[in-house]
Amino acid sequence: MIDKTVPDVAAAVAGIRDGATVMIGGFGRAGQPVELIDALIAQGARDLTVVNNNAGNGDTGLAALLAAGQVRKMICSFPRQSDSWVFDGLYRDGKVELELVPQGNLAERIRAAGAGIGGFFTPTGVGTHLAEGKETRRIDGRDYVLEYPIRADVSLISARAADRWGNLVYRETARNFGPIMAAAAETTVVQVDEIVPLGWLDPEVVVTPGLYVDRVVAVGERPWLRDGEFIGGVDIEGRPLADEDAS
Amino acid sequence: MIDKTVPDVAAAVAGIRDGATVMIGGFGRAGQPVELIDALIAQGARDLTVVNNNAGNGDTGLAALLAAGQVRKMICSFPRQSDSWVFDGLYRDGKVELELVPQGNLAERIRAAGAGIGGFFTPTGVGTHLAEGKETRRIDGRDYVLEYPIRADVSLISARAADRWGNLVYRETARNFGPIMAAAAETTVVQVDEIVPLGWLDPEVVVTPGLYVDRVVAVGERPWLRDGEFIGGVDIEGRPLADEDAS
Amino acid sequence: MTTRISRAELAARVASDIPEGAVVNLGIGAPTLVADYLPEGLEIVLHTENGMLGMGPAPERGRVDPDLINAGKQPVTALAGAAYFHHADSFAMMRGGHLDVCVLGAFQVSAGGDLANWSTGEPGAIPAVGGAMDLAIGAKDVYVMTDLLTKGGEPKLVAACTYPLTGVGCVSRVYTDHGVFDVTPDGFRVRELFGDNTHGEIESLLGLRLEV
Amino acid sequence: MTTRISRAELAARVASDIPEGAVVNLGIGAPTLVADYLPEGLEIVLHTENGMLGMGPAPERGRVDPDLINAGKQPVTALAGAAYFHHADSFAMMRGGHLDVCVLGAFQVSAGGDLANWSTGEPGAIPAVGGAMDLAIGAKDVYVMTDLLTKGGEPKLVAACTYPLTGVGCVSRVYTDHGVFDVTPDGFRVRELFGDNTHGEIESLLGLRLEV
């Protein structure tokens, strides 16, 4: 029997080595695998290269991983946000490196890694600082820059539900980088709200087929859902509203 | 109000010009937009370059378009099949050109056209006749060949259902080339079993978002479905079985 | 004094040029305002690059869904007809030229249509580009929405950008508080001037020749 | 006479090497037979490149679904745990190295692991490649299942292919009716010989030195 489920988040992140490249899903807080990141902090792997669209929000999740001093380098498109003070401080102190990649090139480079593409010509970034030193080429009258895949040792992502084969479905814009990061890593670890019996996910609506997934851990339902249905009643960070706010 | 539905297949294929490049969805018979192809035969555009995985089966669909003498060139991966006699005859008589592309490179080249990628390095075909004369490059210890996008003037595809915005869902392995061809053409025309009211398709399960679709025509349900549910009772070509065979 | 329209009036002016059926990405910041002025009753499909078409307005009080956000990480809703997709598919839509219009902010736009809107190039600043470079090349028409002049009175429409570029030759039209300008092979062409603004006044504010 | 096992026995021999949990693509023709010999009760995930993982056996009589076919365009079924996807996603799975095993037929395999299985190079023949070149590079292990000799008695394991190549250095193991051979940096290495076949006999049939 194929069973990719693991009992807890510690088992899910076991074996991540110092110096590993770790992709972390999510766009801001949406889809960020916070429980897996917390487990990675507890696990303690250091000197990590982390690939994420951003560089952490507030003091939790990716920001906490940065604060723990476990990250040597960030590969991302948009580190500077109103609540990215942890990264900002480390960067100004020279304690973390930054490779800045336009968001669409970041997504396509991750997709290329999973799809076995050795490199691709993209029009994004041509003529800008972020294409300096890179090969460019005019094809059919348009200028392109050559970009290479970004691969990872481990991807940590979040989805709504999985079965024991690792088939995944996501929820709304929390899908974002999950499907492409799942395909780009040697080992893909997924936290989900719930694990459902094999056969419960309609083959037409599976977004990430199980062959991309190595470990699945259930972390329980988000506060704004009940039995998979949206019930509301939280702020944008997912904290339950006081009663008077929720009315 | 956005309404991409058209009343009949003649309206769906109106305006296809002589010399056009036309992508036709389907893998063999599965997903082949037979009603749109019949309309294209009636419409009469000639000198077409057709992109499809195969080169027609039996005497219907793409085979009939070939028999009508409307196709100048086929771009495909697998023309020769047990029932490809129409193409075989035309090819042997020098009446149709052939560009043979490995199936995965065909799919990725179509995907690249839709995704705005100017070219990509693929390992498929390296060192074979089908890579002769093409640029190759060793990247990270592996050899790749550079392939370019395939674009179309028109894509004709088949899906199970659409809404008036052109959002599409498919059925089983009839999905095949539909989503990537929808994105690779100037004008994308879709035949569906049924057009459903806007909002009936769950945004989580839409496979082809409406922005890729220009015209949608309902052609009625396939003989092996009733109200979208599989009822069986046909042979592999979709012909209803005699009663004794269906038992 | 020249006539300047307000930010809200400018958003409404941009909105009035977006036809029914258009697929539109509104950049973070001022361009987001355009959504509030899209004509009622017309169906315009909003794209957000974090993975959605058919984006609706902000949710009601108490109905914020943290899984459903826009590129600015603000809560939004989904309209009937919406679709979700992953990041590579989302940026493929832009890069592949499937969006009709992107509306972006700018530090500078050049007469050749170059856009600078992601970095002031200040030493020591933490760089962040996000989807700016993808959006710059990500639609059939790239509209910029900006003041004509910086707060310090410097022109934002320039012969050549001095700030780091976001994209080369990508802007098709600039909506400013003083008027609307098309980018043409011959440089900026006046499309509309607000109030009593004259061609000569704008030329002298910019120090640039403008086509008519 | 050397010992030759039947096509069915060979399919069973290949099947016995496929572990539980493996994601496997079985090529058109003889390799399809392997499915019939996969150990009962083990979960092995079959991929068909026309857009499905979790492919099941042929449907019952009267239950043929023309929308649900394999790469050979035969009717199949979907197991619990299946997933559908489009062609670019399907070939990305192969090209990206996410399949564990592909089993393919061959005209020739070279000692360097080159595969020739798509064209005999005959002038005038209509060429057709399908997914052959993608499958050849499309799994962590590429197994070939073939007779050792052609019907005319010519070796199919050769020093260098004379037929047009499908892929270069891509084959990891060859299952033949006479024995099983690994492709190593030093050429073919005997893994198993069936019946009484000896190393020397096979070397003389092939006219090739075989590693032990």
Side-chain angles (χ1 to χ4, degrees), chain D residues 111 157 172-174 179-193 199 209-212:
Chain D
L157 276 62
S172 39
R173 189 178 294 166
V174 188
V180 183
F181 307 88
D182 282 328
V183 177
T184 76
D186 302 317
F188 292 114
R189 184 172 60 209
V190 176
R191 187 180 178 85
E192 179 182 351
L193 295 178
H199 192 267
R209 214 176 65 76
L210 301 171
E211 300 290 314
V212 197

Side-chain angles (χ1 to χ4, degrees), chain C residues 168-185:
Chain C
V168 176
C170 56
V171 175
S172 38
R173 189 179 294 167
V174 188
Y175 292 85
T176 77
D177 52 354
H178 288 71
V180 183
F181 307 88
D182 282 328
V183 176
T184 76

Side-chain angles (χ1 to χ4, degrees), chain C residues 36-212:
Chain C
D36 298 337
Y37 297 93
L38 292 173
E40 294 245 1
L42 291 196
E43 290 186 341
I44 287 164
V45 180
L46 295 182
H47 172 261
T48 182
E49 62 263 34
N50 55 315
M52 179 187 197
L53 277 163
M55 181 172 67
E60 288 167 36
R61 207 174 136 80
R63 303 294 290 171
V64 166
D65 184 340
D67 293 328
L68 186 48
I69 61 174
N70 65 13
K73 304 188 174 80
Q74 299 161 317
V76 294
T77 50
L79 301 181
Y84 301 114
F85 30 83
H86 64 58
H87 246 79
D89 280 350
S90 184
F91 282 79
M93 281 176 198
M94 290 195 275
R95 198 191 304 110
H98 304 286
L99 270 58
D100 297 297
V101 176
C102 280
V103 184
L104 302 174
F107 298 143
Q108 293 176 324
V109 179
S110 83
D114 297 350
L115 172 67
N117 77 349
W118 76 281
S119 163
T120 55
E122 232 175 289
I126 299 176
V129 65
M133 291 182 180
D134 306 280
L135 289 160
I137 56 102
K140 293 179 191 111
D141 279 306
V142 173
Y143 293 166
V144 162
M145 177 179 163
T146 183
D147 290 336
L148 188 75
L149 306 175
T150 66
K151 284 184 184 136
E154 296 295 313
K156 299 182 81 165
L157 275 60
V158 295
C161 295
T162 56
Y163 286 132
L165 292 187
T166 308
V168 176
C170 56
V171 175
S172 38
R173 189 179 294 167
V174 188
Y175 292 85
T176 77
D177 52 354
H178 288 71
V180 183
F181 307 88
D182 282 328
V183 176
T184 76
D186 303 315
F188 293 113
R189 185 172 59 210
V190 176
R191 188 179 177 84
E192 179 182 351
L193 295 178
F194 299 137
D196 300 329
N197 294 340
T198 67
H199 191 266
E201 282 169 340
I202 304 297
E203 279 190 330
S204 86
L205 280 175
L206 294 176
L208 265 188
R209 214 175 66 78
L210 302 171
E211 301 291 313
V212 197

Side-chain angles (χ1 to χ4, degrees), chain B residues 80-161:
Chain B
R80 190 191 61 227
Q81 300 168 91
S82 58
D83 56 356
S84 62
W85 50 78
V86 172
F87 175 83
D88 297 2
L90 290 168
Y91 182 77
R92 289 190 206 285
D93 293 348
K95 290 186 174 157
V96 62
E97 289 173 57
L98 171 63
E99 179 180 342
L100 193 71
V101 183
Q103 195 170 153
N105 286 356
L106 182 67
E108 189 70 10
R109 291 175 66 187
I110 294 169
R111 190 257 174 198
I117 297 297
F120 59 89
F121 286 100
T122 170
T124 301
V126 169
T128 75
H129 287 345
L130 298 187
E132 270 169 22
K134 297 185 173 184
E135 181 176 337
T136 59
R137 188 181 295 207
R138 174 156 286 220
I139 300 169
D140 257 349
R142 191 173 195 189
D143 291 319
Y144 296 88
V145 56
L146 179 60
E147 293 282 0
Y148 294 99
I150 301 177
R151 295 183 183 82
D153 298 297
V154 179
S155 279
L156 305 180
I157 65 170
S158 167
R160 209 202 75 67

Side-chain angles (χ1 to χ4, degrees), chain A residues 2 14 16 30 47 54 72 81 124 136 156 193 198 202 228 244:
Chain A
I2 300 170
I16 299 180
D47 202 29
N54 303 105
R72 183 180 63 77
Q81 301 167 90
T124 302
T136 59
L156 306 180
D193 294 5
L198 196 72
D202 180 348
E244 62 272 28

Side-chain angles (χ1 to χ4, degrees), chain A residues 1-3 111 113-117 163-165 167 182-186 198-199 201-204 206 209-212, chain D residues 20-23 41-45 53-54 78-85 88-89 91-93 95-99:
Chain A
M1 192 171 100
I2 300 170
D3 187 0
R111 190 257 174 197
I117 297 297
D163 60 29
R164 63 179 170 78
W165 281 17
N167 290 307
E186 194 62 39
L198 196 72
L201 300 177
D202 180 348
E204 299 285 1
V206 168
L211 89 168
Y212 292 123
Chain D
E20 174 146 55
V23 181
L42 292 195
E43 289 186 342
I44 288 164
V45 180
L53 277 164
L79 301 180
Y84 301 114
F85 31 82
D89 279 351
F91 282 80
M93 282 177 196
R95 197 190 306 109
H98 304 285
L99 269 59

